[in-house]
Amino acid sequence: MASPIRVQFAHGLESSALGEKARYFAEHFDACTPAMDTSDFESCVALHVGTLMRFEPDLLIGSSFGGAVVVALLMRKLWRGPTLLLAQAALHYNPAASLPASVPVLLVHGSDDEIVPIEHSRQLAASAPGSATLVEYAAGHRLSELIGSGELAKLVERAAALGR
């Protein structure tokens, strides 16, 4: 039997290391979700750099604000592995955000997102044609429908496979 996928998760502004997605990842994978002080973006980036070095994940996941943190890691070349971005808010924090052309990134965004416009993920995916893929769902910002249906686990497996 294959060992579980090691996922590092950067949570959103209104979430935590004990939030719904963090618990979901812990139940289904070998997961690490550091508790971030979301009032300090740079401290969140630094926290994840340290965690990457210690935890050595197979997949880095960022949700909303955490997606902006993960994109910052990618842009600074501090992470080069498979990445899953959930309703990412990178363009909110950095209007010039883009994805590196050589890193496999799966973006997931709800077409009914009331917080972060889906156009932000479309624009970010277009910045790295060939290595970034956008999957759109009829869902809101929290993407709760993906958790209840088990689809989120499939997306994690799909994103992790991009690194193989």
Side-chain angles (χ1 to χ4, degrees):
M1 182 174 163
S3 58
I5 298 168
R6 292 173 64 82
V7 301
Q8 181 172 325
F9 178 54
H11 63 77
L13 267 184
E14 295 180 13
S15 188
S16 72
L18 302 174
E20 182 180 31
K21 288 183 188 82
R23 289 192 319 270
Y24 181 87
F25 294 135
E27 289 169 12
H28 293 85
F29 304 99
D30 181 2
C32 177
T33 303
M36 297 187 295
D37 172 2
T38 57
S39 69
D40 183 346
F41 187 85
E42 288 303 322
S43 77
C44 294
V45 172
L47 174 66
H48 276 279
V49 169
T51 305
L52 284 168
M53 293 183 339
R54 285 187 306 278
F55 185 66
E56 300 179 349
D58 301 313
L59 178 68
L60 182 57
I61 304 172
S63 179
S64 193
F65 171 87
V69 170
V70 169
V71 170
L73 292 166
L74 289 166
M75 289 179 68
R76 297 172 193 183
K77 299 182 177 163
L78 298 168
W79 172 251
R80 307 303 291 161
T83 304
L84 176 60
L85 298 174
L86 305 170
Q88 62 74 34
L91 294 175
H92 177 76
Y93 293 91
N94 176 3
S98 63
L99 296 173
S102 59
V103 178
V105 178
L106 181 61
L107 296 96
V108 175
H109 211 113
S111 57
D112 302 322
D113 192 325
E114 65 288 359
I115 310 263
V116 178
I118 193 168
E119 189 54 43
H120 286 199
S121 282
R122 291 175 180 152
Q123 182 179 336
L124 200 59
S127 73
S131 63
T133 303
L134 173 61
V135 179
E136 299 181 17
Y137 285 91
H141 183 67
R142 296 185 190 281
L143 297 168
S144 299
E145 300 84 345
L146 302 181
I147 294 170
S149 69
E151 186 66 22
L152 186 54
K154 293 176 188 170
L155 290 164
V156 168
E157 291 166 1
R158 177 178 171 185
L162 296 172
R164 294 188 195 120

